[in-house]
Amino acid sequence: MPALPPAPPEVPGPDGLPPFGAYAGELGRVDLARLGPPHALPGWARRLRTKRWHYALYATPEVLAVMAIAEMGYAANAFFAAVDLRDKQPLADETLLGPPAPLSRVSDAIGRGLLARFRVPGARFRFSRAADPDRYRHAVEISALRRPRTGRIQLEGEALVTGAPPPLVLVAPVPGGGGEGSRSALHRDGVNVTQKSVGLLASGRLEVGRRHYSLDGGVVGLDSTHGLLARHTRWRWAMGCGRLDDGTPLGFNLVAGFNEMGGGAGENVLFLGDQLEAVGAATFRFNPADPLDPWQVSTADGAVQVTFRPLHAHRDVRDLLVLRSRFVQPLGFFAGRLRFRGREIPLDELPGVTEDQDMLW
């Protein structure tokens, strides 16, 4: 496939139109309130349809930890889960629901200038990246009062941008579900902006009860997303993140059912060294009734052929009338092979996650 063009300086452009497409490199400002016709929505509809989140995956030979803050307009959500990769046992799994801004907030900035925070009694999450520094910072603290049997969680992590592959940026249309010409602002087509990064160098520490883990020398995968999403949204997703024996960062980001565009463009990419490569449509084969069964993940062009073996499945299944979710994210290992620009890369126990999500929000 042809090389991806550089990311635009802002979304939308000066004309108010979203620059639909896939790009390489860091994205500038995102302000979907500036969208012009036919993508503009009234303020009340933007508040209901705007979803923002920042997600981070930290992996070392000893531990895999994932965390996220999501802002949904009328509520906010955060979660943290971790597994010990040597013992192949879960360490922690916490899901928290809280009020929206000002206590919880995810900024419009999804790269430089990012600030995401979440706070409820006994738990605090803060993710940030200042306008100039070359690293993201992730802090999670969940007190022992919430975890009296297993002890508190404390993570202080940094993810270094320098030396990592360039991020993928995708600006994609979102079918609103109302059909062509729909007048309802809740069912008009929307816009989604996402930036995915894989292979950032990790540093920091993780404490779970009496267990202590160094994050130094590990790898990080990131997902920052800001969109005017449809009321009903579903996808399958996979992210793998690691390094070759010589230290070269590698990984992949694959999705099906979401952020799909004509002509094969989408957020399916491989990352290797200082390069990224777009790949074909992804297929996920798994057992929805038991997500701990092995998953088969592949792409139509043969660039990805992997089996995912879960160690633990983070779940958030709830029905709150206005919000219904079935969110399942297993943590585990990928094995198989990648093909990057003609080079065959075997994988064995590459840390990562898969995901099956079906949301009415």
Side-chain angles (χ1 to χ4, degrees), residues 172-187:
V174 177
E180 187 174 353
S182 174
R183 293 188 176 185
S184 169
L186 293 178
H187 294 96

Side-chain angles (χ1 to χ4, degrees), residues 213-229:
Y213 299 88
S214 172
L215 303 177
D216 295 350
V219 291
V220 180
L222 301 175
D223 171 2
S224 288
T225 296
H226 180 185
L228 300 171
L229 302 189

Side-chain angles (χ1 to χ4, degrees), residues 109-282:
I110 63 178
R112 291 186 178 92
L114 168 77
L115 177 60
R117 62 180 183 269
F118 177 92
R119 184 169 185 174
V120 294
R124 287 190 285 184
F125 290 57
R126 181 182 173 87
F127 307 155
S128 65
R129 183 181 171 196
D132 295 326
D134 59 354
R135 68 197 64 216
Y136 292 84
R137 290 181 167 85
H138 300 91
V140 175
E141 185 172 359
I142 303 176
S143 77
L145 294 176
R146 282 186 170 270
R147 296 169 47 82
R149 296 179 60 185
T150 52
R152 73 168 186 166
I153 296 168
Q154 187 166 28
L155 177 140
E156 295 285 345
E158 293 189 352
L160 181 65
V161 174
T162 303
L168 164 79
V169 168
L170 185 75
V171 184
V174 177
E180 187 174 353
S182 174
R183 293 188 176 185
S184 169
L186 293 178
H187 294 96
R188 292 181 198 160
D189 290 352
V191 176
N192 190 49
V193 182
T194 188
Q195 180 170 297
K196 300 289 194 342
S197 302
V198 163
L200 288 74
L201 179 65
S203 62
R205 62 185 178 88
L206 168 64
E207 299 178 11
V208 182
R210 295 182 179 181
R211 291 176 176 255
H212 296 251
Y213 299 88
S214 172
L215 303 177
D216 295 350
V219 291
V220 180
L222 301 175
D223 171 2
S224 288
T225 296
H226 180 185
L228 300 171
L229 302 189
R231 171 82 167 124
H232 185 202
T233 304
R234 184 178 184 191
W235 65 73
R236 280 79 60 206
W237 177 62
M239 176 181 279
C241 191
R243 292 183 182 274
L244 299 177
D245 291 341
D246 64 2
T248 301
L250 85 156
F252 55 82
N253 182 87
L254 303 170
V255 73
F258 185 63
N259 278 347
E260 295 174 333
M261 301 175 63
E267 62 171 88
N268 297 333
V269 293
L270 304 183
F271 300 84
L272 181 66
D274 61 356
Q275 300 175 320
L276 61 83
E277 177 86 350
V279 296

Side-chain angles (χ1 to χ4, degrees), residues 3-7 22-25:
L4 297 178
Y23 305 92

